[in-house]
Amino acid sequence: MDLLQAATAVRENAYVPYSRFKVGAAVRGASGAIYAGCNVENVAYPEGTCAEAGAIAAMVAAGETRLTEVAVIADSPAPVPPCGGCRQKLVEFGGGDAVLTMYTTDGASQSMTFAELLPGRFDASHMDRA
């Protein structure tokens, strides 16, 4: 199974009774293993979980802390980028050259590196004096 297939499959499990906007995400760990997550809403906004955060949590729970590639899919007219919080979460676990590809259920896609996704990002080097 590739990243898009994993993201597409897990998207169907999204718990979205409020927005009805299903999102699936899959990340490839440095080992090559694929981890998937879907969005999970909660009536007490903003207590839900984004698909990207779920995929990262699955990766970390499996013992990996580096990712190399990400796929995100949603039923939208244009590819949907991760929210600001998920951008920061993604770059925490992937270098600037890691690639994010966003897909629509209609087959459109857009790819970018993490450096393009979150330029000027805050990272551990900013805390070197702490």
Side-chain angles (χ1 to χ4, degrees), residues 7 10 12-14 17 19-20 25 33 35 44 55 59 66-67 92 94 96 110 113 125 128:
V10 76
E12 293 305 316
N13 296 334
S19 72
R20 310 252 189 268
Y35 307 95
M59 179 186 74
R66 295 298 298 161
L67 61 85
E92 178 77 13
Q110 178 183 1
T113 65
S125 70
D128 283 347

Side-chain angles (χ1 to χ4, degrees), residues 1 4-6 9 12 19 21 24 29 31 42 47 52-53 60-61 69 71 75 79-80 83-84 89 92 112-113:
M1 179 176 289
L4 177 57
Q5 289 171 325
E12 293 305 316
S19 72
F21 188 70
S31 71
N42 187 294
E47 295 303 315
E52 299 90 338
V60 172
E69 189 178 4
D75 183 14
V80 177
C83 71
K89 288 175 181 76
E92 178 77 13
M112 61 179 56
T113 65

Side-chain angles (χ1 to χ4, degrees), residues 16-31:
V16 292
Y18 310 105
S19 72
R20 310 252 189 268
F21 188 70
K22 293 181 177 186
V23 180
V27 302
R28 184 180 314 280
S31 71

